[in-house]
Amino acid sequence: MKKLSYVLTLLLIPVLLAGCDSKLLVFDPKGPIARSLTDLIVYSIILMLVVVVVVFVLFGYIVWKYRARKNDGDFEPKEEKGNHYLEITWFVIPIIIVIALMIPTTMTIYQVDDVPQGYEEDEPLVINVTSADWKWIFSYPDQDIETVNYVNIPADHPVELKMTSAGTMQSFWVPELAGQKYTMANMQTNLHLLADKPGSFYGRNTNFNGQGYAHMEFEVEAKTKEDFNKWVNDVKNTANDLTEDTYSQILEPGLVGRMTFNGTHLDWIDHAHGGSEQYIDPEKYRIHHGEHTDLNQDIDENREVDPLDQDEQEQNSDSEETDHSHH
């Protein structure tokens, strides 16, 4: 019993140390799509927990019941042939478990791959998402504006993301609003998301793709429809025009802050349909042994930076990394 208490204490330590001031993002959904995925995760955990508990209970019972005893002597159990009923049971149980996981998983996949129920009559806001090393580019084709490393959406309104990559494969994930999907060059993947209420949500790349991967984060801000329309008008009146030369600089491997432009790169290229090679220079990825590379990019005067100065942005970035490290 003393040894058992030590083992249980060791098992409880990670649970106690895992306490956080806030919930894990994946278990704190803020929209119907993320809520469906969270329900599926919880269901899967409970089902697997039942399986694990049953297996360990049976394991403990068998070990205890058929343990060696001092009074066994030279006893040898008689040889028995296999039991057909047990063999059928061992075969059927895994099939039942797989079916119990497969059916809700398939239903949820089809459910989240379309406009959420109750919003079928709303025309989704279309945003083209382009991943690059190491930043996220969001294009609003209907509004004719483009942002980098942040995206604004109207709350309580469906959003359809058309995603691709300008180079390496990357992974788009906003755990509070939607599931994870990959972005790949020369092809398009689609993702729907919806925020119940206004708020700020954390998003990032979850696929390792180089030295700037850890900093490849973005913010999704859900605004009221009035505030969203006002933001669009403000961008049209104040933001610089996006040029192909500026866009080429943005695609160079490195880190940039938030940027906002009038116009989109879709006017001259959609990376889902090829052409990325004209913007990619492999030599810019080359790092010689012992060489230190500064990942921060310095875009030309067309760049529009947030009101925060560069030092404040770096402090906020460090703070966000600390806040989200436990997620």
Side-chain angles (χ1 to χ4, degrees):
M1 291 301 297
K2 185 179 292 186
K3 291 182 178 179
L4 180 61
S5 64
Y6 289 154
V7 173
L8 292 176
T9 302
L10 291 175
L11 291 176
L12 285 174
I13 288 176
V15 177
L16 298 175
L17 293 179
C20 301
D21 293 334
S22 59
K23 297 180 181 179
L24 292 174
L25 295 182
V26 73
F27 292 114
D28 190 23
K30 294 298 191 299
I33 297 176
R35 199 170 294 115
S36 297
L37 294 170
T38 300
D39 292 342
L40 176 62
I41 293 173
V42 173
Y43 167 81
S44 301
I45 292 175
I46 293 175
L47 180 60
M48 290 184 287
L49 184 61
V50 170
V51 174
V52 169
V53 170
V54 171
V55 169
F56 274 87
V57 169
L58 290 176
F59 174 77
Y61 172 77
I62 296 298
V63 170
W64 176 261
K65 181 175 177 61
Y66 298 101
R67 70 191 186 280
R69 296 179 174 88
K70 293 181 179 180
N71 57 356
D72 284 344
D74 297 329
F75 171 76
E76 288 287 341
K78 64 179 180 179
E79 182 178 353
E80 295 183 1
K81 294 184 179 180
N83 188 303
H84 294 298
Y85 295 106
L86 286 177
E87 292 175 359
I88 294 173
T89 302
W90 307 147
F91 180 78
V92 171
I93 289 178
I95 293 178
I96 294 175
I97 294 173
V98 171
I99 292 175
L101 286 171
M102 179 184 66
I103 292 177
T105 299
T106 303
M107 293 175 60
T108 302
I109 289 174
Y110 279 97
Q111 178 182 347
V112 302
D113 207 32
D114 203 350
V115 176
Q117 293 182 357
Y119 296 87
E120 294 86 354
E121 302 300 322
D122 296 336
E123 186 68 23
L125 171 66
V126 176
I127 302 177
N128 287 63
V129 181
T130 304
S131 60
D133 298 323
W134 291 275
K135 71 278 298 181
W136 291 96
I137 303 168
F138 301 92
S139 307
Y140 298 74
D142 294 334
Q143 290 74 24
D144 197 33
I145 60 178
E146 187 158 297
T147 63
V148 179
N149 288 335
Y150 81 99
V151 56
N152 290 340
I153 62 173
D156 198 35
H157 188 86
V159 178
E160 180 181 2
L161 303 179
K162 298 182 177 180
M163 306 190 300
T164 187
S165 174
T168 56
M169 183 174 74
Q170 297 166 19
S171 173
F172 181 96
W173 192 33
V174 185
E176 293 173 284
L177 299 182
Q180 172 271 337
K181 250 184 186 179
Y182 290 104
T183 62
M184 292 167 277
N186 301 327
M187 70 174 297
Q188 177 179 294
T189 54
N190 296 324
L191 182 69
H192 289 84
L193 57 80
L194 188 148
D196 289 330
K197 299 177 181 178
S200 177
F201 310 102
Y202 171 76
R204 67 161 298 116
N205 171 28
T206 63
N207 191 61
F208 181 77
N209 65 311
Q211 58 180 342
Y213 147 80
H215 304 283
M216 199 168 169
E217 303 171 344
F218 60 93
E219 179 189 13
V220 179
E221 184 174 357
K223 299 175 175 286
T224 63
K225 294 181 180 179
E226 295 76 15
D227 288 342
F228 176 78
N229 292 330
K230 180 178 181 300
W231 171 75
V232 171
N233 291 329
D234 289 343
V235 171
K236 289 182 175 295
N237 293 328
T238 61
N240 295 321
D241 293 334
L242 179 65
T243 65
E244 188 169 2
D245 180 63
T246 301
Y247 183 67
S248 299
Q249 294 182 57
I250 294 174
L251 289 188
E252 294 179 3
L255 305 177
V256 298
R258 297 187 180 190
M259 306 168 73
T260 311
F261 298 99
N262 264 313
T264 74
H265 70 269
L266 301 176
D267 294 335
W268 55 81
I269 184 173
D270 184 348
H271 296 279
H273 302 102
S276 299
E277 61 276 359
Q278 61 183 306
Y279 295 93
I280 297 177
D281 182 1
E283 288 298 322
K284 293 181 179 178
Y285 288 84
R286 189 182 303 277
I287 302 176
H288 299 285
H289 180 70
E291 178 183 346
H292 173 73
T293 302
D294 184 8
L295 296 180
N296 293 290
Q297 290 177 252
D298 185 17
I299 309 299
D300 66 13
E301 66 275 3
N302 285 323
R303 174 180 176 181
E304 182 188 82
V305 186
D306 277 358
L308 295 173
D309 60 27
Q310 185 66 26
D311 291 337
E312 290 176 333
Q313 287 189 22
E314 292 176 356
Q315 292 175 4
N316 290 342
S317 176
D318 293 339
S319 175
E320 289 178 1
E321 289 177 16
T322 301
D323 291 341
H324 295 291
S325 61
H326 64 278
H327 295 302

